[in-house]
Every structure is written in structure tokens, then in C-alpha cells.
Amino acid sequence: MFRIGDFSRLARVTIKTLHHYDEAGLLTPARVDHLTGYRYYAAAQLETLQRILSLKDLGFSLDEIRGLLERGFDPERMTERLDERRIQLLSSLEAEQARLRRLDALRASLSGAGAQPQSIPVVTLREAAPIDVHSRRQRVASLGVEVQKMFETAEATVAQVRARADASPFLIFHDPEYCEANADVEACIPVKAGAQARLDTRIVPAESIGCVTYRGPYDQTPVLYEAMLRWMERSGLALAGPLREVYHRFGADQSGYRLPNHVLATSSADYVTELQAPVAPLVPTRGE
Amino acid sequence: MFRIGDFSRLARVTIKTLHHYDEAGLLTPARVDHLTGYRYYAAAQLETLQRILSLKDLGFSLDEIRGLLERGFDPERMTERLDERRIQLLSSLEAEQARLRRLDALRASLSGAGAQPQSIPVVTLREAAPIDVHSRRQRVASLGVEVQKMFETAEATVAQVRARADASPFLIFHDPEYCEANADVEACIPVKAGAQARLDTRIVPAESIGCVTYRGPYDQTPVLYEAMLRWMERSGLALAGPLREVYHRFGADQSGYRLPNHVLATSSADYVTELQAPVAPLVPTRGE
DNA sequence: TTGCTCCTCACGTCACGTGAGGTGGC
DNA sequence: TTGCTCCTCACGTCACGTGAGGTGGC
């Protein structure tokens, strides 16, 4: 039998940790003195503790460890849990590597001449979920009235079958380079899942995207597109799909459909627009 | 001005996060209605929020971010912080990769025939700090009385100058393979830092070591040595220095010196011994 | 007897999440 | 007027860390 202090020294954990494992029902002392409350541990419990610490090191929570150890040892369940953890670990490894790339990018941009608060990126990287849309695609002479018309008719069509989802409409630029004249564009209206029966829909797939949001008239897009490209370059990312512009707040005609008030702007100064660029790492990430 | 709900949607954070940043003094709303307490955010604050999120993503705490952003932008301080974070990130990346190797090792040992609770390793990996010792090294015919004598005289020598540190004595096996006959061994007594003036000392350097602790007579060492080797192989680790055995609780003569009671055992059944193997990854870890 | 070990509350950490219960805005 | 948005407590999360204040053991 070991007193808690000796036991903790041998296992190189704190007494508080042992208290905690006792409370959590993970490792109950072999004997507890009824009068003094002193905890005494058996030599064999040193091994149990090491197993607990091994599993904790692999990233399991104390609850999971209790589940894995308490009712006998089930190698199959253990294998399953390990496989789950493996996947989590791999993706967190990739995430950390991406983080490191972004950190290096920021560092590099600071050591350049124009070190300014502007160096801290406003572009954010996120994983976009797949989204159902009703869309119309065509080539337009310029990004003006023609595009507006595409959205109006698409909105009206979706409104007729009451399939509008509560998400912002967006425009996809299908040309390899962003261009404003003679552009191949697709106007997309998010629709509810399950609207395929009543409507011509397609799914915009899940992607990693870089995003920047800005307020004001649309003429800022080219500037932000440049900023986006610089960010991608510094972050070690490459364009992996067509660019798109999401309209969070905008002006609309509303003939044949109705939009909630909070998405409508009366002045172009109040427009809220987001530029999105699907991206993929230039350096392929190491997986298996 | 945006209401908090719109602002949070645009930035893809929760309202609660904005509340939290307000409380933390990180991002105070441009205007707060005195009557209703409603928070209103300016369009320019969207950028500030993105910068905050960028830095948070790189792993900075909210406190650190406040420090970096609040009193003007200091590129030098930022660069310093980034460099610190870079080091942390690199080492956590290495740790995660090692974790993955250990997970795979455990997984492999489970799919083998003898899937048993024993598969969960009791060997633990840790970083040992450098340690000052007084030692004597010699070749001994067997690991018995001769070794004991080495420890007794070393303890007595250390005791004379009152330089004993509160740590367990250990034996280093200098032969390339663990052997019990005609072995080149070194008995080490931990001493206080600053004892070099009065005593012949050396420093056992910092190392990554695999450890197993057991209780009972010394005859278990060979068995645990085997277990240690199997663990190293599965974990992708190689022996990187001489093996050692640490005596946490043992029998002693105490002629010419005194040990605290809790390290003394009256029966060999109560001995507590730890086997330590300095290790290094077989696959060199990727750094820069 | 003295100092050391151990005990049980109770609160803190970090970045929010999750209700409860209530009020303002369109 | 109704439903929606927003508000402020207040407590929970996870694996312990950090005292406070007190008692047993050698």
C-alpha cells in the first residue's frame, strides 16, 4: 500500500490529480481510512494509473477512459475508439500545419516594408457546407442590369413554389480570371432541401473558402479581389474553383417575391457583400 | 450600424461571442443604447473582428490579442509574439505526430492475436530534466553485492558534505546491451546543485525517456526490459543512450549516511524500481 | 511536541454555451 | 397585438490548480 504522496511521486502526477480521478470514479484507492479519510493505493494500481495516463495522452477524455476500462476490456470497442481518435488527430494535425503556414505568411508580411495593422488578414478561411440552389447561368456584357434581372427572375421562380431558404443569394464567376466585361456568370438563390421535385436545382459542393466581407457599393470588388489573391499567395493557397460574390444586404425590386427587411438596403452605401474564393493548399497535405 | 444579430451572422460568430468580447474589452460596440442596452456595431468593426479572429485562430489568447491590438499596432512586438507562437506550434505539431505514432502502435498491438488489457502500455514517455550526480563507475562480475557497495560508499561520500538531493539514486548500464554478468555500471547519487565545489560530480543530461515502474525484487528487470523494447519498437522509437534503473524504495545499510524513512523497504517485496530508457524517434521529426 | 502529510470545502481557469426570465422594436 | 430580437443574470464545461482552514501520524 502506498500513501497518496508516495504514489503520486512514483507516477509523476499531482495529489490533486489522484483526488480528481477518485471523485470521477476512474481510480478509487484500494483502501480509504474511515476515520482520517486517508487514501491508500495498491502497487497494482500504479499500472492502472499508467494505462489511464496513456489513454489520456492519446486524447481521450476521462469519461471515455472510464468507459473503456471499467466493465472489462473490450478490444473491439477500443479499436473503434482508436480509429475515431485517429481521424480526429489527423485532421487536427492538418489544421495545425495550415495554422503554421498562416502564421508564417503573417510573419513574412510584417518583415516587409509596409508593416501596418493592415497586415493582419481580414480574409478568413472556413469550410463551407454544400448548399442547394436554384440558378441561372449566362454570359453578360457587363455586371449591371443584366445580372440584376437574372436574380429577379430566379427569386420570382423560387418564390412561386415557396422554396426560398434563409440564406444570401450569390453570383458565381465562371471565367478563369475575374472580369467585368463579357462575363460568364451564374446567379444562385439558396433553396430549401427537398425542393428538387418542384424546381430545377443544383448543389454547390462543400469547399474550403477564403472570405472577405465589405460594406458599400460593388465597385470595391476588384480591390478586395487583389487583397484576396495576395492573402492566398502568402498563405500557400491556390484558387480551387470559381470565385463568387455573396449578397448579404442589397437593393431589390421585389416584384413577384418578398425578402425579409434586414437583407434590404435602400442606399448602395449600406450594401453588404462578401467575396468568396474556393482554395486548396499549394503544398499537398500529408495524410496517411 | 449593425444590430448584434446581423453583425454576428456576417462574421459567422455567435451573439454570445460578441457579448464575451465586449465584456473582455476586446471589441466594444460602436454604440450602446442606454435605455435598452442594445449593442450596435459599425461597419469598420467587422474588419477589427476579423483581425481578432485571425489572431485567435493562430492560437493567441484573448488577453494577448487585446495586448497586441489595443495600444496602436507595434509590428516588432507582433513579430516577437509570432516567433514565440511559432515555436509553440512546432513543438505541439511534433507532439501530435508522436501521439499519432503511439496511437498506431496501440492499434497494431490490438489487432494482433493477444488482444488484452495488457496491450495498453504502462510505459510512459517523458522529458527528463538534467540532474547533478556524484557517481562511481566500474565493471562488476554480477549485479549484486558489488553494486550495493558502490552505492553505500557513494552515499557516504555525499553525506559527508551534506550535498544529498531529494531524489532517487540510480544505476546506469553502460554496455550496449543489457547484461547481468561482467557489466560496466555507474552508481549515481543525486546531489544539490552547487555541490561541485565540495564533491566530484557530473551532470546526467536532459533526455526523452521511456519509463516503467514496478514493485518487488529486482529479478523482474529482464522481463520489463523486454516489454520496454517491444513498446519502443511499436512506438517507432530507438534506444538513444544507456539504460538505467532508478531505486525509489530499497534496502540499505545506512552506515555513514541516513536516508528518509519513506525510501527504505524492509522486504524486497516492497522495493520500488523504475526502468528508464533514453529514446529518440526512429523517423526523424520534420522541423522547419 | 513539532513539522509533515493529508483531508475537505470552495473558488479559479478559458472562451464561451445554454437556458431562465424578462423587455424593447417593428 | 404578436412574434422576433435583444437584454442580463447565473450556472455549466473540462481537468484539474490554488489556497484556506483544519486534523491525523510519526
Side-chain angles (χ1 to χ4, degrees):
Chain A
M1 289 297 201
F2 296 102
R3 294 171 65 170
I4 197 170
D6 295 335
F7 194 69
S8 74
R9 247 186 308 267
L10 288 176
R12 270 172 264 269
V13 298
T14 69
I15 291 181
K16 244 310 171 185
T17 299
L18 293 173
H19 282 176
H20 189 61
Y21 290 178
D22 184 6
E23 258 185 89
L26 243 189
L27 185 69
T28 311
R31 193 168 74 76
V32 178
D33 189 301
H34 245 262
L35 284 173
T36 66
Y38 273 36
R39 293 168 176 87
Y40 295 92
Y41 292 87
Q45 294 193 289
L46 197 52
E47 262 191 53
T48 309
L49 178 55
Q50 301 298 7
R51 290 191 215 288
I52 290 172
L53 296 175
S54 279
L55 293 175
K56 192 165 79 75
D57 167 76
L58 293 181
F60 292 104
S61 73
L62 299 190
D63 268 359
E64 289 172 313
I65 296 173
R66 186 150 25 89
L68 285 169
L69 294 183
E70 73 178 352
R71 28 180 78 261
F73 178 74
D74 179 350
E76 251 182 70
R77 199 163 41 135
M78 176 71 81
T79 308
E80 273 174 39
R81 293 278 166 284
L82 285 178
D83 288 344
E84 289 167 17
R85 262 267 78 199
R86 181 169 214 287
I87 292 171
Q88 290 172 16
L89 257 177
L90 272 179
S91 78
S92 93
L93 253 177
E94 273 183 40
E96 293 262 288
Q97 281 160 351
R99 220 182 299 283
L100 189 57
R101 276 200 304 274
R102 266 171 270 148
L103 190 147
D104 284 340
L106 176 51
R107 226 242 86 152
S109 78
L110 281 178
S111 54
Q116 279 170 6
Q118 276 72 342
S119 308
I120 308 173
V122 290
V123 183
T124 51
L125 184 66
R126 65 183 187 87
E127 303 305 310
I131 180 172
D132 288 295
V133 299
H134 169 68
S135 73
R136 4 207 97 199
R137 177 170 174 177
Q138 73 182 65
R139 198 167 280 282
V140 294
S142 75
L143 300 173
V145 195
E146 279 178 285
V147 172
Q148 190 138 2
K149 275 269 145 64
M150 289 167 75
F151 275 112
E152 302 277 349
T153 56
E155 283 280 13
T157 309
V158 173
Q160 268 174 25
V161 296
R162 299 169 183 281
R164 185 62 152 83
D166 181 24
S168 300
F170 55 95
L171 188 69
I172 301 180
F173 296 87
H174 283 286
D175 300 292
E177 285 277 302
Y178 172 75
C179 58
E180 305 192 306
N182 194 29
D184 176 11
V185 295
E186 181 177 5
C188 303
I189 308 295
V191 297
K192 290 173 187 155
Q196 305 95 314
R198 297 161 290 160
L199 204 63
D200 179 27
T201 73
R202 79 173 186 101
I203 297 178
V204 177
E207 278 168 315
S208 294
I209 52 177
C211 313
V212 223
T213 301
Y214 66 95
R215 196 183 70 146
Y218 298 136
D219 57 14
Q220 291 181 55
T221 302
V223 179
L224 286 169
Y225 177 57
E226 290 302 319
M228 173 84 84
L229 288 183
R230 281 200 308 278
W231 170 81
M232 280 168 49
E233 195 190 336
R234 291 198 318 242
S235 306
L237 297 167
L239 206 58
L243 209 71
R244 57 207 192 213
E245 210 170 49
V246 184
Y247 306 106
H248 294 296
R249 194 170 286 182
F250 51 93
D253 214 14
Q254 300 195 86
S255 53
Y257 63 97
R258 280 283 132 193
L259 292 172
N261 260 333
H262 72 266
V263 306
L264 292 172
T266 45
S267 147
S268 71
D270 290 329
Y271 288 1
V272 177
T273 313
E274 183 176 12
L275 198 64
Q276 295 187 344
V279 293
L282 267 174
V283 187
T285 50
R286 265 155 293 118
E288 304 271 325
Chain B
M1 290 297 201
F2 297 103
R3 294 170 65 170
I4 197 170
D6 295 336
F7 193 69
S8 74
R9 248 186 307 268
L10 288 175
R12 271 172 262 269
V13 299
T14 68
I15 290 180
K16 245 309 173 186
T17 299
L18 293 174
H19 282 176
H20 188 60
Y21 291 177
D22 184 6
E23 258 184 90
L26 243 190
L27 185 69
T28 312
R31 193 169 74 78
V32 178
D33 189 302
H34 245 263
L35 284 174
T36 65
Y38 273 36
R39 294 168 177 85
Y40 295 92
Y41 291 87
Q45 295 194 289
L46 197 51
E47 261 190 53
T48 309
L49 179 55
Q50 302 298 6
R51 290 191 215 287
I52 289 172
L53 296 175
S54 279
L55 292 175
K56 192 166 78 77
D57 167 76
L58 293 181
F60 292 103
S61 73
L62 299 191
D63 269 0
E64 290 172 313
I65 296 173
R66 187 149 27 89
L68 286 170
L69 294 183
E70 72 179 355
R71 28 179 78 261
F73 178 74
D74 180 349
E76 249 181 73
R77 199 164 37 139
M78 176 72 81
T79 308
E80 273 173 39
R81 292 280 166 283
L82 285 177
D83 288 344
E84 289 167 18
R85 263 266 78 201
R86 181 168 214 287
I87 292 171
Q88 290 172 15
L89 256 178
L90 271 179
S91 79
S92 94
L93 252 176
E94 274 182 39
E96 292 262 289
Q97 281 160 350
R99 222 183 297 283
L100 190 57
R101 277 200 303 274
R102 266 172 271 149
L103 191 147
D104 284 340
L106 176 52
R107 166 89 238 229
S109 78
L110 281 178
S111 54
Q116 281 170 5
Q118 277 73 340
S119 308
I120 307 174
V122 291
V123 183
T124 52
L125 184 67
R126 66 184 186 87
E127 303 305 310
I131 180 171
D132 288 296
V133 299
H134 169 69
S135 72
R136 2 206 100 198
R137 177 171 173 176
Q138 74 181 68
R139 198 166 282 280
V140 294
S142 75
L143 300 174
V145 195
E146 280 179 283
V147 173
Q148 191 138 3
K149 275 269 144 65
M150 291 166 74
F151 275 113
E152 302 277 351
T153 56
E155 284 279 14
T157 310
V158 173
Q160 268 173 25
V161 296
R162 299 170 184 279
R164 185 65 151 84
D166 181 23
S168 301
F170 55 96
L171 189 70
I172 302 181
F173 295 88
H174 283 286
D175 299 292
E177 285 276 302
Y178 172 74
C179 58
E180 304 192 307
N182 193 30
D184 176 10
V185 295
E186 181 177 5
C188 303
I189 309 294
V191 297
K192 291 174 187 155
Q196 305 95 315
R198 297 162 288 162
L199 204 63
D200 180 28
T201 71
R202 78 172 187 101
I203 297 178
V204 177
E207 278 168 314
S208 293
I209 52 177
C211 313
V212 224
T213 301
Y214 66 94
R215 196 181 70 145
Y218 297 137
D219 57 13
Q220 290 180 56
T221 301
V223 179
L224 286 169
Y225 178 57
E226 290 301 321
M228 173 84 83
L229 289 182
R230 280 200 307 278
W231 170 81
M232 281 168 49
E233 195 189 337
R234 290 199 318 243
S235 306
L237 296 168
L239 205 57
L243 210 70
R244 56 206 192 214
E245 210 171 47
V246 184
Y247 307 106
H248 294 297
R249 193 170 286 182
F250 50 93
D253 214 13
Q254 299 194 86
S255 52
Y257 62 98
R258 280 283 132 193
L259 293 172
N261 261 332
H262 72 267
V263 307
L264 292 172
T266 45
S267 147
S268 71
D270 290 329
Y271 288 1
V272 176
T273 312
E274 182 176 13
L275 198 64
Q276 294 186 346
V279 294
L282 267 175
V283 187
T285 50
R286 267 155 291 117
E288 304 274 322

